[in-house]
């Protein structure tokens, strides 16, 4: 596989399409086992997670629902900083087993700010499935319950992840060249 150039920066092949697909299946099997007999609600966070959500969710054999939301943060409205709000969460969360689908846990800020909004709606349980995590980049205490790959704190793109809007359509994951 060759390196690619996006917005003038060079990226090198990092995680193959085959490895990603195998991991999507593996995660779905774990969730199928853990939620046997339950009817969980998956909430995929746009934009980055749309491919992971699609490839993982198609292996879910439960009576599951999925909803897609976008998180919007408002700056400077409160003394505590940004407030993250969900756009498009039309499913009721109360008393449901909820599984959040994320592309990558980086600093953890996004989910750390959003999780209280979900907890306020009293889900029966709340878990996080993420394809990637960068543990050394974490500034906020959010841990994945279902994880694809642990990666170093280097910028990646492809498979839903973008660099300034581009690269989401690449079927595998690339890493920014040193
Ligand atoms: P966090 O709030 O810092 O955990 O990261 C939130 C979002 O930043 C992720 O859902 C991604 O959309 C984006 N992000 C973090 N790291 C990367 C990366 O290496 N490549 C592309 N997007 C990233
Ligand atoms: Mg992004």
């Amino acid at each position: 596989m060759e390196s690619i150039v996006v917005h003038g920066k060079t990226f090198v092949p990092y995680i193959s399409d085959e490895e990603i697909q195998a991991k999507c299946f593996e995660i779905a099997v774990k969730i199928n086992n853990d939620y046997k007999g339950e009817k969980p609600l998956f909430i995929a966070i746009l934009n980055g997670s749309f491919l992971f959500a699609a490839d993982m969710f198609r292996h879910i054999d439960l009576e599951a629902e999925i909803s897609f939301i976008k998180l919007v943060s408002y700056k400077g409205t409160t003394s505590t900083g940004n407030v993250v709000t969900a756009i498009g969460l039309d499913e009721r969360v109360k008393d449901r087993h909820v599984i959040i689908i994320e592309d990558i846990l980086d600093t953890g800020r996004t989910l750390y700010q959003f999780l209280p909004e979900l907890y306020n709606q009293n889900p029966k349980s709340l878990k996080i499935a993420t394809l990637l995590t960068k543990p050394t980049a974490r500034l906020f205490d959010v841990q994945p319950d279902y994880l694809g790959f642990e990666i170093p704190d280097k910028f990646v793109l492809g498979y839903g992840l973008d660099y300034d809007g581009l690269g989401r359509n690449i079927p595998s994951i690339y890493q920014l060249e040193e």
Side-chain angles (χ1 to χ4, degrees):
M1 289 230 285
E2 307 257 302
S3 62
I4 54 169
V5 177
V6 177
H7 286 310
K9 292 207 191 306
T10 303
F11 292 83
V12 294
Y14 186 51
I15 305 173
S16 73
D17 186 17
E18 291 75 19
E19 286 174 282
I20 294 169
Q21 292 306 323
K23 201 60 92 170
C24 288
F25 180 69
E26 206 179 287
I27 291 171
V29 167
K30 274 189 202 148
I31 292 175
N32 288 336
N33 284 324
D34 291 353
Y35 290 83
K36 206 157 266 161
E38 305 289 351
K39 298 174 179 173
L41 168 64
F42 290 77
I43 299 176
I45 299 177
L46 296 173
N47 296 324
S49 75
F50 75 111
L51 289 181
F52 174 49
D55 289 341
M56 194 272 280
F57 190 68
R58 80 183 69 202
H59 298 297
I60 294 294
D61 62 11
L62 308 162
E63 268 184 65
E65 288 174 72
I66 189 165
S67 191
F68 295 84
I69 65 165
K70 218 167 168 148
L71 297 181
V72 179
S73 53
Y74 302 91
K75 284 190 182 131
T77 52
T78 67
S79 55
T80 52
N82 296 359
V83 180
V84 175
T85 296
I87 304 284
L89 184 58
D90 39 19
E91 250 49 63
R92 287 222 190 86
V93 161
K94 190 172 159 47
D95 293 329
R96 300 292 305 273
H97 290 293
V98 173
I99 302 164
I100 291 177
I101 304 181
E102 253 290 31
D103 52 353
I104 184 167
L105 269 179
D106 186 25
T107 65
R109 175 182 279 111
T110 312
L111 284 188
Y112 188 82
Q113 293 181 333
F114 173 58
L115 289 182
E117 187 174 325
L118 273 187
Y119 275 119
N120 281 342
Q121 299 183 44
N122 297 309
K124 201 179 249 175
S125 70
L126 186 51
K127 301 274 188 202
I128 299 166
T130 184
L131 180 66
L132 304 170
T133 184
K134 293 176 180 172
T136 58
R138 200 80 86 250
L139 298 174
F140 298 84
D141 184 24
V142 180
Q143 302 307 329
D145 300 286
Y146 299 97
L147 169 65
F149 304 94
E150 200 171 287
I151 65 170
D153 186 10
K154 289 184 188 166
F155 194 82
V156 289
L157 111 169
Y159 195 70
L161 292 144
D162 72 303
Y163 170 43
D164 210 2
L166 295 181
R168 295 194 198 274
N169 52 323
I170 299 166
S172 62
I173 293 172
Y174 284 70
Q175 191 179 59
L176 184 63
E177 193 179 54
E178 293 291 281

